[in-house]
Amino acid sequence: MAWIDVADRNALRAAGRLVVRVDGRQILLVDTEQGLFATANRCPHEGYPLSEGTLAGCTLTCNWHNWKFDLSSGETLVGGDKLTRYPLRVEAGRIWLDLTEIPPAERRAAVLAGLVQALRDRDQQRQLRETARLGRLGTKPVDAVRVALAWADERLEYGTTHAFAAIPDWLRLQADPTLPADARLMALGEILGHIGDDVAGAEAKFGFATETQAWDAQRFLAAIEREDEAQAVGLLRGALAQPAWPSDLAATLFAAALDHYADFGHSLIYTTQTLRLIGRLGPDVAEPALLALARALVYAQREDLLPEFRDYRPRRDAWWQSGDAPALDAVAFRRTSAKQAMAIIAAWAPSHPPAAIFAVLVEAAAWQLLHADQPFLDSIDQKLSENVGWLDFTHGLTFAAAGLDAVEADPSLWPALLLQLACFIGRNSRYVDPELATEPWRVTGVQPFLADATQRVTNHGQGRFIFSAHLIKTLFAAIELAEAVPAAAPTVLAATNRFLQAPLRGRNPRRTARQMLAFVAEE
Ligand code: FES
């Protein structure tokens, strides 16, 4: 379509504004002191008619939410998305419009620019609008995630965040053809919104070292150990520069993640999820994703330096030598410290295969989540040193599922994985209610549970992305664990079912106030 005759000039002069319809499009014609203009009549915010707006000079205000558009420049002065405008000319008393379609590449570039602005503004409605527009342009909507990763890359002060850790799981939903379009778009919206939140306000000033060094696994591990980000990044760049990834790259990343009981298990979870993310989106996201991971590994808090977890490394290093081998028993973990839990499994090591110990630990971690003491989790009485919540319990499962990838890449990592799982179980064991009635949470099988849980997570009511990220991560971790450890499946699924329906609290302001009063009183 090119130039077409749409209206009489005198009619527009008399009315001031007119709406014409062409091929299903509503177009607004406006007569201003600065000339005539033609725009889409649907406001790019929520679609209300701009013909009902207020005109002041050349500025048109949509009266629904006060977005303002400069008709002469096309700029959106207040609000977000751009207003579509059409070239206009007057000929022999008639108004003609050029309705030639904008080339798809140009429209796509505009949508991607809008998406980046929406990330910057943390405007989730617009993130979804622009992603939906990508789909209408014939571009894969998942490309929005690639754009978000690239945009976030230099804004991640401490590397990988929880937003990244949830991406592969949300992408599983996005790729599920049995789900309705809104649920699949919602999954992308969770990714984009969470990335936008995690880097909120950060300037693009946290770029990575650019030097490339020849890949060497031992040097990489040493660099992470001494918190030398520049060298770790240089070595990773060297690995990525090879025509094919070095065969030991994944195993080395897992080894780095498990070298300490680090960051409440995030190091391992981030490593597994980063590799899965690259597997889903392709090698073009490998560099931003892996460099962010290297930074996260460098910055990870080494919790095994704390007294409670200090036995981790000695027990790992002596794993295959320790003494008696009592029978495996998940009940043994119900009330233990981290030290005791590590001692228990170290005693099992000589005569029980790692996978069998893993199964017992998974059962124990799931039992804890199933019996989490909710009144205590919500209590204002928690001490600063406790501060335990629902998400802490889920980490036993998400960490275990992430560990399956680690030991598949390198079976020598079993002791590290098992001992760290024991640490989780030890730290959570004080906050369970063994008498809790758990029958209501039992489920009848993996597939019915997955169908029901998918409905829940795609229609969750969580205000904070950190919670929805844990819902989706725990759900898929549970499915993986139920398949890998069938004996633990009933407890794993029941525990996850309970968590998915738990009344999660975003904040506990009175507890925080109480903790700060106590802290300041002892300064
Ligand atoms: S619909 Fe126009 S500003 Fe919201």
Side-chain angles (χ1 to χ4, degrees):
M1 189 180 296
W3 288 96
I4 66 166
D5 178 349
V6 296
D8 180 72
R9 173 67 182 97
N10 285 333
L12 178 58
R13 183 175 291 117
R17 60 186 79 173
L18 284 178
V19 177
V20 297
R21 287 178 172 75
V22 183
D23 280 350
R25 274 185 271 190
Q26 287 185 39
I27 298 170
L28 173 64
L29 306 177
V30 188
D31 191 351
T32 76
E33 288 167 4
Q34 283 98 335
L36 306 184
F37 299 99
T39 73
N41 188 41
R42 282 168 55 85
C43 176
H45 178 217
E46 289 188 357
Y48 288 103
L50 288 172
S51 55
E52 299 296 329
T54 301
L55 190 64
C58 217
T59 299
L60 179 61
T61 299
C62 175
N63 289 335
W64 268 267
H65 309 102
N66 206 39
W67 282 25
K68 294 183 187 295
F69 308 96
D70 182 336
L71 296 179
S72 60
S73 69
E75 290 306 310
T76 301
L77 304 172
V78 175
D81 314 34
K82 279 214 159 203
L83 180 62
T84 301
R85 294 185 309 151
Y86 302 96
L88 178 154
R89 74 169 188 246
V90 178
E91 213 173 273
R94 300 292 302 174
I95 296 172
W96 291 71
L97 301 182
D98 180 0
L99 299 180
T100 306
E101 291 283 355
I102 299 169
E106 213 175 294
R107 288 162 68 196
R108 183 174 185 276
V111 168
L112 294 179
L115 177 63
V116 167
Q117 188 59 46
L119 288 165
R120 193 172 281 126
D121 295 342
R122 298 163 71 192
D123 179 344
Q124 217 199 349
Q125 277 195 350
R126 187 176 184 189
Q127 291 162 15
L128 290 168
R129 279 197 300 273
E130 304 290 19
T131 304
R133 286 174 184 139
L134 275 183
R136 292 201 66 188
L137 286 171
T139 301
K140 288 182 182 162
V142 80
D143 281 357
V145 178
R146 290 192 175 82
V147 170
L149 288 173
W151 172 76
D153 187 40
E154 295 190 332
R155 293 173 165 81
L156 297 165
E157 185 172 4
Y158 301 108
T160 308
T161 71
H162 252 105
F164 289 61
I167 292 176
D169 296 329
W170 287 120
L171 288 181
R172 284 165 80 154
L173 293 187
Q174 194 279 330
D176 183 347
T178 68
L179 292 179
D182 58 344
R184 297 172 66 188
L185 178 61
M186 169 271 181
L188 291 179
E190 289 296 299
I191 295 171
L192 301 172
H194 201 168
I195 291 175
D197 257 27
D198 276 358
V199 296
E203 296 297 325
K205 64 179 186 184
F206 301 108
F208 295 93
T210 53
E211 186 194 350
T212 297
Q213 301 183 30
W215 169 251
D216 180 301
Q218 291 310 313
R219 289 181 67 212
F220 178 79
L221 290 170
I224 296 291
E225 178 62 20
R226 62 173 190 278
E227 303 180 27
D228 182 347
E229 179 188 313
Q231 180 158 51
V233 163
L235 291 162
L236 264 186
R237 287 193 187 281
L240 294 175
Q242 296 187 17
W245 283 10
S247 59
D248 60 355
L249 179 60
T252 305
L253 292 170
F254 283 124
L258 284 168
D259 202 28
H260 291 272
Y261 179 53
D263 239 7
F264 207 69
H266 287 113
S267 293
L268 176 63
I269 294 168
Y270 288 175
T271 301
T272 293
Q273 296 295 74
T274 296
L275 292 172
R276 292 182 181 187
L277 165 64
I278 295 167
R280 284 201 166 265
L281 291 182
D284 55 322
V285 301
E287 184 180 310
L290 286 176
L291 298 190
L293 176 65
R295 178 174 288 168
L297 293 174
V298 162
Y299 276 108
Q301 172 193 353
R302 276 72 167 160
E303 289 188 289
D304 52 331
L305 301 178
L306 304 176
E308 189 179 357
F309 309 111
R310 213 171 271 162
D311 287 356
Y312 165 66
R313 281 188 146 197
R315 290 219 179 265
R316 181 197 62 182
D317 296 342
W319 179 254
W320 306 109
Q321 306 148 19
S322 38
D324 300 337
L328 300 176
D329 178 13
V331 177
F333 292 114
R334 290 192 178 170
R335 289 283 186 184
T336 59
S337 67
K339 277 179 185 290
Q340 289 166 335
M342 284 190 279
I344 290 169
I345 65 163
W348 289 343
S351 54
H352 296 290
I357 301 174
F358 179 75
V360 173
L361 289 167
V362 168
E363 169 80 29
W367 183 90
Q368 289 185 328
L369 177 58
L370 184 57
H371 292 80
D373 185 355
Q374 187 190 322
F376 180 77
L377 301 188
D378 291 343
S379 158
I380 61 173
D381 296 329
Q382 286 188 19
K383 298 189 181 70
L384 191 55
S385 58
E386 290 177 312
N387 260 353
V388 66
W390 281 101
L391 305 193
D392 301 281
F393 281 85
T394 67
H395 272 222
L397 298 185
T398 51
F399 180 84
L404 289 171
D405 286 23
V407 294
E408 187 182 341
D410 182 357
S412 76
L413 294 173
W414 268 116
L417 174 64
L418 298 177
L419 285 163
Q420 294 198 24
L421 257 177
C423 289
F424 277 109
I425 290 165
R427 73 193 305 170
N428 286 335
S429 73
R430 279 171 287 171
Y431 314 114
V432 295
D433 175 3
E435 308 305 322
L436 191 72
T438 57
E439 208 47 43
W441 310 113
R442 297 283 164 191
V443 301
T444 53
V446 174
Q447 288 313 317
F449 169 67
L450 180 57
D452 180 62
T454 300
Q455 290 301 319
R456 286 187 191 285
V457 298
T458 56
N459 192 24
H460 68 76
Q462 301 302 327
R464 294 178 60 195
F465 288 104
I466 190 69
F467 288 116
S468 51
H470 278 78
L471 295 181
I472 190 77
K473 282 196 309 147
T474 307
L475 170 59
F476 282 117
I479 299 300
E480 290 167 18
L481 291 172
E483 288 170 0
V485 188
T491 313
V492 167
L493 297 179
T496 305
N497 191 29
R498 183 183 181 213
F499 171 60
L500 294 182
Q501 298 183 57
L504 307 179
R505 288 185 67 136
R507 297 190 303 130
N508 197 322
R510 184 145 167 223
R511 177 201 297 166
T512 306
R514 186 177 280 207
Q515 290 172 344
M516 294 306 110
L517 279 173
F519 179 81
V520 169
E522 292 180 9
E523 275 182 333

